Amino acid sequence: MEYRRLGKSGLKVSELSFGSWVTFGNQVDIDLAVDCMAAAYDAGVNFFDNAEVYNKGKSETVMGAALKKLNWERDSYIISSKVMWGSKENPKPTQMGLSRKHLVEACDQAIARMGCEYLDLYFCHRPDPEVPMEEIVRGMTELILRGKVFYWGTSEWSAASIQEAYAVARQYDLIPPTMDQPQYHIFHRNRVEKEYASLYNVDNVGLGTTIWSPLASGLLSGKYNDGIPDDSRVNLPGYEWLKEMLMSEQWQSRLESVRQLSKVADDLGTTMPRLAIAWCLKNPNVSTVITGASKVSQVTENMEAIKVVPQLTDDVMKKIDDITKGLAE
Ligand code: NDP
């Protein structure tokens, strides 16, 4: 495992990390969380991603209980939370959004659920147009100065909004964002590759990226190539929207191209999940690829992706581009 700088910060994050969206508190209970996190940690993963909204706080509770059982040295790993949609079933107006009040209260609640003293990374899960940028940057700066958070960042913010946050921080001598958490995989490229291009410069924001859904929720694992296995994400209650997406014309065309990509993986003597994750790792502006898994076997399989990166020659990358031409956004 290699460790990459989180943007221009001094924090070293493992190139592969592990997240708990959908899985923890749903498909994955505390014991399975312990096993999955241990498999990832033993492979060198040092970053575990979470959010207040994941299974309405349950994901953080499960991760906290798992961390307690695992009893790792606290300074050997990084944990995150994200704030925006709240952790309640029907949040009241003060229980969501990026107001200073919710930033601070949600942080305290995430810390309590995870049974830790501080969060290493804290993300604004989406932009909140109803809160002035100065209030957000000031709120995050205050959390850092109070020792509750070490680095703050954004998730799926436009380049213009990240640039604005950076400018506000510089103007008022506050702490600028360190990283964004954008979606990035073979079919979803533009934000990371084009929109954010100017933000990576260390003389500017020096943005780090903790990218999500490297397998497009499983599509790029090849698991849907021959139909829908019973125990997959698209069959979970509450994820009917994902099944609809999979059945859409666009995703069926993507699925057809995954069948062709699987042959590329075969020719390289590797597997489709490894190829898809390695493709994300190939981009030097990606600080870490957050993997997800509902089983230990998936964690161990996905960790093998680091070995495939050297096989991704210009020729192989071109083959992938040719196969997915017109299907990526
Ligand atoms: P992926 O796209 O990699 O999907 C992971 C899912 O794919 C697994 O839960 C599993 O689902 C299936 N899978 C994983 N590995 C394999 C394998 N080797 N073979 C077959 N199937 C496999 O990542 P996620 O969508 O889970 O996203 C990763 C993390 O990113 C999240 O946990 C979260 O931390 C973060 N995230 C952040 C977002 C944001 O807005 N900031 C949004 C979404 C995610 P199953 O077995 O159930 O089919």
Side-chain angles (χ1 to χ4, degrees):
M1 185 72 68
E2 283 181 15
Y3 298 85
R4 298 185 180 183
R5 279 176 68 185
L6 185 58
K8 72 177 175 188
S9 83
L11 187 67
K12 292 276 171 65
V13 63
S14 50
E15 58 186 339
L16 292 181
S17 44
F18 187 62
S20 59
W21 177 54
V22 182
T23 53
F24 279 32
N26 188 359
Q27 298 157 291
V28 175
D29 63 10
I30 295 170
D31 288 340
L32 185 50
V34 166
D35 292 345
C36 286
M37 290 174 72
Y41 188 80
D42 290 347
V45 164
N46 73 359
F47 167 39
F48 299 89
D49 185 60
N50 221 319
E52 60 170 358
V53 74
Y54 292 172
N55 288 314
K56 302 286 173 202
K58 264 197 275 170
S59 167
E60 290 174 334
T61 308
V62 167
M63 189 176 278
L67 283 168
K68 196 167 174 203
K69 286 195 174 193
L70 287 159
N71 200 25
W72 299 325
E73 289 174 323
R74 179 63 184 92
D75 56 2
S76 71
Y77 63 89
I78 296 162
I79 43 175
S80 71
S81 183
K82 307 186 206 83
V83 52
M84 177 69 199
W85 291 291
S87 57
K88 306 279 187 298
E89 209 51 63
N90 293 301
K92 295 189 162 56
T94 51
Q95 294 174 322
M96 56 191 295
L98 301 181
S99 68
R100 182 182 183 204
K101 178 174 170 67
H102 189 59
L103 288 186
V104 174
E105 289 173 346
C107 181
D108 282 341
Q109 288 161 10
I111 284 172
R113 282 191 292 266
M114 288 214 256
C116 54
E117 287 177 7
Y118 55 86
L119 302 172
D120 300 276
L121 310 182
Y122 195 38
F123 295 85
C124 298
H125 211 154
R126 287 294 182 273
D128 183 346
E130 307 238 304
V131 182
M133 190 61 84
E134 188 186 339
E135 181 173 339
I136 297 171
V137 180
R138 224 173 251 292
M140 286 299 197
T141 300
E142 190 185 317
L143 284 170
I144 290 175
L145 296 180
R146 283 165 55 188
K148 298 203 175 217
V149 169
F150 287 146
Y151 302 87
W152 80 274
T154 54
S155 179
E156 296 293 354
W157 280 27
S158 67
S161 294
I162 296 171
Q163 194 69 67
E164 186 192 345
Y166 182 76
V168 165
R170 289 290 174 243
Q171 183 180 358
Y172 297 109
D173 202 15
L174 301 170
I175 299 172
T178 295
M179 66 286 173
D180 188 89
Q181 188 166 123
Q183 182 175 186
Y184 186 57
H185 51 72
I186 289 174
F187 297 120
H188 198 96
R189 311 177 177 201
N190 288 345
R191 174 154 271 172
V192 167
E193 293 182 2
K194 297 193 179 126
E195 188 187 337
Y196 285 175
S198 66
L199 303 180
Y200 302 125
N201 188 332
V202 291
D203 296 325
N204 187 11
V205 182
L207 191 74
T209 57
T210 66
I211 67 101
W212 58 268
S213 285
L215 298 178
S217 267
L219 179 76
L220 279 161
S221 72
K223 74 185 305 166
Y224 297 116
N225 285 7
D226 303 312
I228 301 177
D230 288 342
D231 61 344
S232 8
R233 179 177 289 186
V234 300
N235 277 334
L236 292 174
Y239 292 88
E240 292 79 11
W241 59 271
L242 193 58
K243 192 178 232 169
E244 274 170 35
M245 207 148 90
L246 176 65
M247 302 319 290
S248 69
E249 207 177 308
Q250 185 196 40
W251 275 54
Q252 286 297 307
S253 307
R254 288 176 172 181
L255 180 57
E256 184 45 43
S257 77
V258 175
R259 293 186 185 112
Q260 294 172 44
L261 291 174
S262 301
K263 294 199 187 99
V264 175
D266 267 357
D267 291 345
L268 292 174
T270 189
T271 63
M272 194 53 229
R274 294 180 201 184
L275 178 73
I277 293 171
W279 182 92
C280 299
L281 282 170
K282 178 94 177 155
N283 184 335
N285 292 318
V286 168
S287 315
T288 182
V289 174
I290 313 179
T291 61
S294 62
K295 298 176 182 64
V296 177
S297 57
Q298 293 175 352
V299 179
T300 44
E301 162 71 12
N302 296 345
M303 294 296 130
E304 292 296 312
I306 51 180
K307 297 183 188 148
V308 179
V309 181
Q311 290 180 273
L312 299 186
T313 58
D314 291 350
D315 276 358
V316 174
M317 292 298 272
K318 184 167 179 313
K319 245 186 231 169
I320 296 173
D321 284 348
D322 289 346
I323 290 172
T324 57
K325 205 173 161 77
L327 297 172
E329 54 196 358

